[in-house]
């Protein structure tokens, strides 16, 4: 069988030159083209979280169930799941509302021959009905959903999950103490600088993202997870102001 070749990863230089008026960040084709480089150089712990998603998916996948990757971008989490999930009849569903992202993700997802199939779906997760889900991933996606839709979106996700199913929720965080908040923002910027981003790139990206990525506190996330019904919700990973939670139905 012949497989699609994944495209060569391109370097993220989107904010390297002066933009004048910096437009709000969008997941368009320009972003999709450089996304693997962008996310690895911008999110501390990203590769670690992706690896752990594979390990967790293997544990929670139930036979004949669905594993959802919500806001799947280029399918990194779906691919990590695909490598480790062997439950018979399990299907991975990768959902994103950016057709540019989904189109590119197909190149990555179809480049390997593995037993668990992946379906891609172009849909808005705020109105998605999940069914028969044993494992759900929201890896840095909820942070882009308007605040007023987050509880309803999580409730819908919870309602589509099987008993004993797990949700991995990864998010950029803010901290109630302004000193702690500033400290971790500063060290996140040190991380980006160490990965080759200039001060201009860091500052323009910050302007582009501040109206579209609205971080909440860890306590806010844990309270909401409990409020929608999860029996257990815990922080399992944190690196500076980036964290991941595990919640069990
Ligand atoms: C990864 N999880 O590599 N419905 C569906 N998708 C959405 C919505 C929505 N309402 N809003 C945003 N997205 C990935 C990384 S990136 C995180 C996730 C980041 C999608 C959006 O198109 C983008 O692909 C993704 O959520 C967020 O593990 O760029 O920081």
């Amino acid at each position: 069988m012949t497989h699609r070749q994944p495209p060569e990863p391109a370097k993220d230089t989107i904010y390297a030159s002066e933009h004048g008026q910096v437009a709000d960040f969008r997941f368009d084709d320009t972003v999709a083209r450089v996304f693997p480089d962008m996310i690895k150089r911008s999110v501390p712990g990203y590769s670690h979280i992706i690896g752990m998603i594979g390990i967790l998916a293997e544990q929670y996948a139930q036979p004949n169930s669905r594993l959802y990757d919500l806001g799947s971008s280029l399918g990194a989490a779906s691919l990590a799941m695909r490598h480790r999930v062997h439950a018979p009849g399990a299907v991975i569903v990768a959902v994103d509302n950016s057709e540019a992202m989904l189109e590119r993700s197909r190149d990555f997802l179809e480049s390997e021959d593995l037993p668990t199939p992946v379906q891609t779906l172009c849909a808005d997760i705020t109105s998605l009905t999940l069914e028969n889900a044993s494992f759900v991933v929201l890896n840095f996606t909820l942070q882009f959903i308007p605040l007023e839709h987050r509880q309803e979106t999580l409730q819908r996700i919870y309602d589509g999950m099987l008993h004993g199913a797990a949700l991995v929720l990864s998010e950029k965080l803010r901290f109630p103490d302004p000193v702690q908040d500033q400290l971790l923002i500063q060290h996140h910027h040190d991380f980006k600088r160490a990965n080759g981003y200039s001060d201009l790139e860091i500052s323009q990206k910050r302007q582009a993202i501040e109206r579209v990525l609205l971080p909440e506190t860890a306590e806010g996330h844990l309270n909401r997870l409990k409020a929608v019904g999860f029996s257990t919700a815990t922080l399992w990973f944190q690196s500076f102001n980036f964290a991941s939670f595990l919640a069990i139905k």
Side-chain angles (χ1 to χ4, degrees), residues 141-193:
T141 303
L142 193 69
Q143 59 193 13
F144 293 105
I145 302 300
L147 284 168
E148 65 275 20
H149 294 145
R150 290 186 189 178
Q151 174 120 2
E152 194 197 318
T153 300
L154 268 188
Q155 189 67 61
R156 208 186 277 271
I157 291 169
Y158 177 88
D159 291 346
M161 289 170 68
L162 298 164
H163 181 71
L167 166 73
V168 171
L169 170 67
S170 311
E171 289 276 297
K172 185 175 189 177
L173 295 181
R174 70 175 179 82
F175 296 84
D177 172 359
V179 175
Q180 188 185 359
D181 200 46
Q182 272 315 306
L183 182 74
L184 295 177
I185 289 172
Q186 185 191 317
H187 290 323
H188 172 228
H189 291 171
D190 293 335
F191 167 85
K192 292 187 76 168
R193 230 172 270 119

Side-chain angles (χ1 to χ4, degrees), residues 27 35 46 71 73 96-98 123-125 139-140 143-145:
F27 291 99
F35 190 74
Y46 174 76
S73 299
D96 207 290
N97 66 350
S98 160
D124 187 329
I125 64 157
N139 202 34
F140 302 107
Q143 59 193 13
F144 293 105
I145 302 300

Side-chain angles (χ1 to χ4, degrees), residues 25 27 31 35 38-39 43 46 50 53 69-78 95-98 101 123-126 137-146 205 209 213:
F25 189 80
F27 291 99
V31 168
F35 190 74
M38 173 186 281
I39 196 145
V43 176
Y46 174 76
I50 291 292
I53 284 172
D69 179 6
L70 303 178
S72 49
S73 299
L74 298 190
S78 294
V95 184
D96 207 290
N97 66 350
S98 160
M101 283 290 198
D124 187 329
I125 64 157
T126 60
V137 174
L138 275 169
N139 202 34
F140 302 107
T141 303
L142 193 69
Q143 59 193 13
F144 293 105
I145 302 300
K205 175 71 180 280
I209 211 105
L213 191 170

Side-chain angles (χ1 to χ4, degrees), residues 39-72:
I39 196 145
K40 278 196 200 97
R41 291 203 286 142
S42 305
V43 176
Y46 174 76
S47 301
H48 178 78
I49 294 172
I50 291 292
M52 290 302 169
I53 284 172
I55 288 170
L56 291 168
E58 183 179 11
Q59 295 305 315
Y60 289 95
Q62 298 182 30
N64 304 312
S65 70
R66 292 181 180 179
L67 293 87
Y68 286 89
D69 179 6
L70 303 178
S72 49

Side-chain angles (χ1 to χ4, degrees), residues 6-14 29-42 74 104 108 195 197 201:
E8 285 296 306
K11 187 169 167 57
D12 170 25
T13 55
I14 294 175
D29 195 56
T30 310
V31 168
R33 212 173 43 80
V34 300
F35 190 74
D37 179 66
M38 173 186 281
I39 196 145
K40 278 196 200 97
R41 291 203 286 142
S42 305
L74 298 190
R104 279 197 164 247
F108 290 94
N195 285 334
Y197 283 117
E201 286 177 292

